[in-house]
Amino acid sequence: MKRILLIVGGGIAAYKACELIRLIRGAGMAARCVLTDGGAQFVTPMTLAALSEQPVHTSLWDLKDEAEMGHIQLSRQADLVVVAPATADLVARMAGGLANDLATTLLLATDKPVLAVPAMNVRMWQHAATRRNVAQLRADGVTVMEPDEGPMACGEHGPGRLPEPAAILAAIQTALGGEGQAAGRLSGRHLLITAGPTHEPIDPVRYIANRSSGKQGFAIAAAAARAGARVTLIAGPVQLATPPGVDRVDVETAVEMAAAVDAALPADVAIMVAAVADWRVAAAGQKIKKQGGDPPRLTLNENPDILATVAGGERRPALVVGFAAETERVIDHAVAKRLRKGADWIIANDVSGDVMGGGHNLVHLVRDTGVETWERMTKEAVAERLVERIADAI
Ligand code: C5P
């Protein structure tokens, strides 16, 4: 059984550590907790002890603790040390190599991998000192998760929220070398993934676009690569880093995306996540000028349906997965879309809320055998689960 030493720092996100302990144990691992003085202002040792069913350690100067289990031993007995929430102060002390309480002493003494999960106010996260400290920790070999973006307990908005416990669990599994449930299960397979929006030029300086961020498609590409697949990611215009081990082809328009997809075939699995523009504009060769009178009329032509083309083509991958972003009657539309497009599976999601550009997704997996509704989770967790389902199916 894998053992996690969980260091809980002093931030409001400490309450999420309680849920994390439940997830860690639910995944068949043991959790032992260390609470900083600050952490103890937000959750009690009793809470963590009850959830972990293990003693909770709070002080370097506890004679009973030291007699039973020296702090060095505590730091080495675990398979992985997780710091969640890692506050700005804790990150700074870790980066500086301080050992002025039990948590930092353990972190300095450990010979095990360390996963730090920061949570702090957006300005603290963006402060030059924190940027420096995070860079130092990464240079020292600590895995530092990126915080989530969104509303924060302090009333501000931005990056700094503790990632959801499910995403932390996925990072724990990756750090333990298990790389999630699907580790190595897709090795030898080629996955072709489209992601992001397309831009359809109106003239040399203007275009029609949509609100797709590309986050879900990139997360699927990352999860598939972690599972050992060869991944070709055809990306529309997005500002996202290429996940490790992924071959990326950047395109702008739907026509370019269709050509790039065709060039990347054959593949074992195609996952068409991109929000492809349905129409392209008969674009003007020069910038359209205001000339008084009527506004210009745009002539629209239908774009190729990449998903339907791949699903109906001669080099059809064994498994073709489409996405359906809907704002009403989500499942009905997805069931119809699966048949109309010839896809094997459709992942349907309701995009009437904050899904586009956000970090979370609530999806339904529509297959010929029925519909599975997944709980709301991060886009990374959706990706992880989809990759598991794919590995089960092929
Ligand atoms: O028809 P609709 O755009 O709702 O279908 C969504 C699915 O079809 C997505 O999987 C998307 O990537 C794919 N699609 C495509 N080419 C298009 C339009 C949509 O591949 N031209």
Side-chain angles (χ1 to χ4, degrees), residues 194 272-274 276-278 304-307 322-324 337 340-341:
T194 66
M272 309 277 96
V273 196
V276 184
D278 291 319
D305 189 315
I306 304 169
L307 172 61
F323 269 65
K337 189 165 294 178
R340 193 170 67 244
K341 302 232 185 189

Side-chain angles (χ1 to χ4, degrees), residues 80-83 85-87 90-92 94-95 113-120 125 130-148 162-163 168 171 175:
L80 176 71
V81 182
V82 177
V83 188
T87 59
L90 201 42
V91 165
M94 287 169 76
V114 178
L115 171 70
V117 194
M120 63 193 74
W125 174 247
T130 306
R131 307 280 81 231
R132 240 180 3 249
N133 292 334
V134 168
Q136 184 61 56
L137 285 182
R138 286 183 172 147
D140 293 347
V142 174
T143 303
V144 184
M145 281 183 83
E146 286 296 315
D148 270 3
L162 191 78
I168 303 175

Side-chain angles (χ1 to χ4, degrees), residues 36 87-101 103-104 133 137:
T36 67
T87 59
D89 173 70
L90 201 42
V91 165
R93 288 190 289 136
M94 287 169 76
L98 268 65
N100 55 357
D101 65 359
T104 47
N133 292 334
L137 285 182

